[in-house]
């Protein structure tokens, strides 16, 4: 029978999952450092560090952690009961949540499948078309549909508003820049520019910063030397400091672990103390009620003639103010303290302070700021009044200048008219020249192409033919056996055309003049025809010559390749002259070294 089909015995117990019982928030357990590995308190280092005490023994650590084991055992018992209580609480909570889910599902079905026609008509009472459209739809879907329909419009409105604000801001900044430039143009000879003052301040700051930079560099170098010395001496203190830091970490972990283990006990103590106070109050009230009942059942004495009601005496245990030791002055001080605390809270809220000790410096700074603000407001008001007076004066002067018809003003207006006429004439001339250039642009292009063609035809007039030399990219290709320029080159890239029209025309005139000067004798038509036939025959002969030379070149190349293959083996072996030159050079070097 396979292993997975076998029956398990009754004594078999499944392995308990420790990860579920383990608390995630609990700190890691702390293990004390062994004494023999301690760098400062080790038994082998105590006499070296001159730290000997009769009261200190190695068993002190075991006594120190003796109570730790008892605390851990109590924690295990407490944890067991706590898990049991949590399991019961989780069961009740899951039952309650299941009931809420059931009720919520029923409510959701009623909302989705219920008749919402009346509610939708009340909501959309002013929109008949929307009532007919959404009368069979749930309310949440109606809201989503309306939001989707109006999304594009709302987005476009927001975009246009934002664009309008941007344009207003840009227009305002441009107006301010224009006003600043006008003021600078108007008063450029009377005031010093702010940029000049700022440039002087910046130059002074740069000089000061250079001085500070030099000082900082010297200080930095000094600190580097100090650090270098300290690093050299640090090798002696490293084991001691490492052990002490480990002890500090162990102590902090011990404190965290003890606090974590003691938090449940403290919470339980508070809960039990609260229950005890409630029970004590109930018992005191019951005792007081029973005493009152017994006092009412007692018979009054016979010799009592007057039925005056005596004041009921309260027992000492039932007196609530038995343990309160407060005088009248203390109560008054408490009331005053409460009023002071309320005023401090209000002042903290007004001054935006988190602590009471920050109130006075904050209020002091606010008083100074308020005084400065008042001064600024007064200065701004004075400047505003001054600006208003200047505007009034400017309006008056503008009216005077507009209505002024003196001889100078008339001459100025006539000069302005003449300048405008001249400007209009220049603009018309510019338009006519542009139209002229546009209409004759194609002709200019054709003329330039024809001139370049003539230059190309007359390239070799008054000039020897251009010799083409191959430019090698490195020195390895300039070897004597790799002369590629021996081969006849059939074609080469043309020269770059000249773009400057003055140079082109000067060159073309000179070449045509020299060409026509060579043909001063008049040629007859028969002579011209004969020259054409001779040129044609020479051209065909040159073609035949090139084809024949190609075959010869191929044969010569094949023979040269064979010779190269034979000479390659002897290329690395130096000849007699090379050996003599190398030996002479070596002897000269040795003589120079000996000198």
């Amino acid at each position: 029978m396979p292993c997975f089909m076998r029956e398990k015995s009754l004594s078999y117990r499944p392995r308990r999952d420790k990860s579920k019982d383990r608390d995630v928030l609990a700190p890691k357990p702390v293990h004390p450092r062994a004494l023999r590995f301690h760098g400062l308190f080790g038994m082998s280092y105590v006499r070296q560090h001159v730290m000997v005490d009769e009261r200190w023994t190695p068993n002190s650590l075991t006594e120190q952690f003796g109570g730790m084991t008892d605390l851990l055992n109590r924690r295990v018992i407490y944890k067991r009961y706590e898990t049991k209580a949590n399991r019961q609480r989780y069961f009740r909570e899951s039952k309650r949540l299941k009931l809420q889910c059931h009720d919520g599902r029923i409510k959701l079905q009623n909302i989705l499948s219920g008749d919402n026609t009346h509610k939708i008509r009340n909501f959309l009472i002013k929109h008949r078309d929307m009532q007919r459209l959404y009368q069979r739809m749930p309310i949440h879907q109606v809201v989503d549909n309306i939001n989707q329909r109006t999304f594009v419009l709302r987005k476009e409105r927001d975009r246009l508003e934002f664009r309008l604000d941007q344009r207003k801001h840009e227009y305002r900044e441009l107006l301010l820049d224009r006003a600043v430039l006008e003021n600078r143009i108007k008063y450029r000879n009377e005031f010093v520019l702010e940029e000049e003052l700022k440039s002087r301040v910046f130059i002074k700051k740069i000089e000061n910063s250079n001085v500070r930079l030099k000082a900082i560099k010297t200080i930095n170098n000094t600190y580097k030397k100090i650090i270098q010395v300290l690093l050299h001496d640090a090798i002696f203190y490293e084991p001691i400091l490492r052990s002490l830091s480990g002890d500090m970490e162990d102590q902090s972990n011990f404190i965290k672990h003890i606090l974590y283990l003691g938090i449940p006990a403290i919470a339980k103590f508070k809960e039990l103390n609260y229950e005890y106070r409630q029970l004590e109050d109930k018992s005191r009230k019951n005792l007081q009620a029973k005493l009152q009942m017994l006092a009412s059942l007692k018979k009054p004495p016979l010799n009592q003639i007057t039925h005056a009601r005596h004041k009921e005496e309260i027992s000492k245990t039932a007196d609530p103010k038995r343990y309160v030791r407060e005088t009248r002055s203390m109560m008054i001080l408490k009331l005053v303290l409460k009023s002071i605390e309320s005023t401090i809270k209000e002042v903290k809220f007004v001054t935006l302070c988190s602590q009471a000790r920050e109130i006075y410096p904050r209020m002091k700074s606010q008083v100074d700021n308020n005084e400065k603000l008042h001064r600024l407001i007064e200065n701004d008001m004075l400047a505003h009044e001054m600006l208003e007076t200047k505007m009034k004066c400017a309006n008056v002067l503008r009216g005077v200048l507009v209505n002024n018809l003196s001889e100078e003003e008339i001459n100025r207006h006539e000069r302005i008219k003449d300048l405008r006429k001249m400007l209009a004439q220049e603009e018309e001339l510019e338009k006519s020249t542009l139209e002229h250039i546009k209409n004759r642009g194609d002709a200019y292009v054709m003329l330039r192409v024809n001139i370049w063609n003539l230059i190309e035809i007359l390239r070799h007039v008054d000039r020897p033919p251009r010799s083409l030399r191959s430019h090698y990219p490195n020195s390895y290709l300039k070897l004597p056996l790799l002369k590629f320029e021996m081969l006849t080159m059939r074609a080469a890239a043309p020269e770059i055309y000249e773009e400057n029209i003055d140079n082109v025309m000067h060159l073309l005139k000179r070449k045509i003049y020299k060409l026509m000067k060579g043909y001063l004798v008049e040629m007859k038509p028969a002579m011209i025809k004969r020259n054409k036939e001779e040129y044609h025959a020479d051209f065909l002969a040159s073609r035949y010559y090139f084809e024949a030379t190609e075959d010869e070149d191929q044969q010569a190349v094949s023979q040269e390749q064979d010779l190269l293959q034979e000479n390659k083996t002897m290329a690395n072996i130096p000849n007699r002259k090379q050996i003599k030159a190398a030996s002479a050079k070596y002897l000269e070097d040795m003589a120079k070294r000996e000198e």
Side-chain angles (χ1 to χ4, degrees), residues 3 68 73 134 166 292 476 512:
C3 295
M68 197 73 182
N73 293 328
Y134 300 125
Q166 279 186 337
Q292 288 178 359
Y476 295 105
I512 290 172

Side-chain angles (χ1 to χ4, degrees), residues 303-321:
N303 57 358
Q304 185 178 3
I305 299 170
T306 59
H307 296 281
R309 190 173 181 180
H310 295 283
K311 189 176 181 181
E312 296 180 357
E313 293 182 357
I314 301 172
S315 63
K316 292 182 179 181
T317 56
D319 189 5
K321 295 185 178 180

Side-chain angles (χ1 to χ4, degrees), residues 285-522:
K285 288 179 183 178
N286 290 332
L287 181 62
Q288 189 175 0
K290 289 179 180 178
L291 288 173
Q292 288 178 359
M293 185 175 66
L294 291 173
S296 63
L297 292 173
K298 284 181 181 180
K299 292 182 179 180
L302 296 173
N303 57 358
Q304 185 178 3
I305 299 170
T306 59
H307 296 281
R309 190 173 181 180
H310 295 283
K311 189 176 181 181
E312 296 180 357
E313 293 182 357
I314 301 172
S315 63
K316 292 182 179 181
T317 56
D319 189 5
K321 295 185 178 180
R322 181 181 178 186
Y323 298 103
V324 178
R325 297 177 181 177
E326 292 182 350
T327 59
R328 185 179 179 185
S329 60
M330 290 175 71
M331 295 297 291
I332 293 167
L333 287 173
K334 276 189 177 182
L335 295 173
V336 173
L337 182 63
K338 286 181 180 179
S339 64
I340 291 168
E341 286 179 352
S342 62
T343 53
I344 288 171
K345 284 182 180 179
E346 291 177 358
V347 172
K348 284 167 69 177
F349 179 73
V350 171
T351 56
L352 301 174
C353 296
S354 60
Q355 296 180 0
R357 61 188 177 187
E358 296 178 359
I359 293 172
Y360 177 72
R362 184 69 62 82
M363 291 181 70
K364 189 177 180 181
S365 63
Q366 285 181 357
V367 169
D368 297 336
N369 292 332
N370 291 333
E371 290 179 357
K372 292 178 182 178
L373 285 174
H374 285 306
R375 290 174 186 170
L376 288 174
I377 290 166
E378 289 177 358
N379 293 331
D380 291 340
M381 291 295 293
L382 291 172
H384 185 68
E385 291 176 357
M386 192 68 187
L387 185 62
E388 286 182 352
T389 55
K390 286 182 179 180
M391 287 291 290
K392 291 178 182 178
C393 295
N395 290 326
V396 172
L397 293 173
R398 183 182 178 185
V400 171
L401 291 172
V402 167
N403 299 320
N404 187 10
L405 294 175
S406 61
E407 186 178 357
E408 294 179 357
E409 188 68 18
I410 292 167
N411 294 331
R412 188 175 67 82
H413 284 294
E414 290 178 355
R415 178 63 177 164
I416 289 169
K417 289 179 182 179
D418 295 336
L419 291 173
R420 285 177 179 173
K421 288 179 182 178
M422 291 168 66
L423 183 62
Q425 290 176 1
E426 289 179 357
E427 288 178 353
E428 289 178 357
L429 181 61
E430 185 179 0
K431 288 180 181 179
S432 63
T433 52
L434 288 173
E435 289 177 357
H436 181 78
I437 292 168
K438 287 179 181 178
N439 294 329
R440 290 162 179 78
D442 298 335
Y444 290 152
V445 171
M446 291 299 295
L447 183 61
R448 186 181 288 271
V449 170
N450 291 325
I451 289 170
W452 280 346
N453 194 7
L454 288 172
I455 289 290
E456 185 64 27
I457 292 168
L458 303 173
R459 185 176 293 279
H460 299 290
V461 174
D462 192 22
R463 192 188 76 174
R466 186 164 62 97
S467 60
L468 299 171
R469 293 183 180 180
S470 59
H471 298 281
Y472 299 108
N474 49 29
S475 62
Y476 295 105
L477 296 177
K478 291 184 179 180
L479 297 173
L481 299 177
L482 298 174
K483 289 186 177 180
F484 298 105
E485 65 268 12
M486 292 190 297
L487 303 176
T488 57
M489 298 184 69
R490 301 295 180 81
E495 295 182 2
I496 300 172
Y497 290 119
E498 181 69 31
E499 293 184 359
N500 192 355
I501 195 67
D502 296 332
N503 297 334
V504 169
M505 293 303 294
H506 179 70
L507 185 65
L508 188 62
K509 287 178 184 178
R510 184 168 57 81
K511 289 197 175 190
I512 290 172
Y513 174 74
K514 292 211 174 177
L515 183 64
M516 298 306 292
K517 192 175 180 181
Y519 292 96
L520 294 175
V521 181
E522 294 183 358

Side-chain angles (χ1 to χ4, degrees), residues 110-124:
N110 292 332
I111 290 168
L112 293 176
S113 61
D115 190 6
N116 299 322
T117 306
H118 189 63
K119 289 184 179 179
I120 289 171
R121 285 183 179 176
N122 289 334
F123 288 144
L124 305 173

